[in-house]
Amino acid sequence: GYRIRLETKLRHKNTQIARTERLLDTLPSDQRPVFTGLLDDARTHRDAIQHELDEIYRLLADLP
C-alpha cells in the first residue's frame, strides 16, 4: 500500500511541476521569482519521493 501511495504522490507532484512550468512562462517578471522558488521546492520533493520509491523497488527485487 505504501508503494502505491508514493507512486500516486509522485504522479501528482509531476503534474504540479508541469503546470507550474507552463504557468511560469505567462507570469509577469515580478512574480516569477516566487513561482521559481515553488518549482524548485516541488522538484526537490519529487526527487525525495523518487528516491524513496527506488529504495522500495530495490527491496522488493531482493525478496526471494
Side-chain angles (χ1 to χ4, degrees):
Y2 183 61
R3 176 187 55 85
I4 292 169
R5 285 194 306 272
L6 280 178
E7 289 169 342
T8 301
K9 201 172 185 180
L10 184 62
R11 278 192 303 276
H12 288 288
K13 191 57 64 176
N14 282 327
T15 300
Q16 176 189 11
I17 289 168
R19 187 179 327 120
T20 304
E21 287 171 338
R22 285 190 308 273
L23 179 64
L24 206 55
D25 294 333
T26 67
L27 292 173
S29 60
D30 63 326
Q31 293 181 359
R32 286 186 185 155
V34 173
F35 281 86
T36 300
L38 292 172
L39 185 57
D40 290 342
D41 290 345
R43 287 175 175 155
T44 299
H45 193 208
R46 179 208 46 206
D47 293 345
I49 294 167
Q50 184 64 63
H51 177 73
E52 196 162 344
L53 266 173
D54 291 343
E55 286 297 310
I56 290 172
Y57 294 146
R58 186 187 57 78
L59 289 171
L60 290 173
D62 290 343
L63 290 177

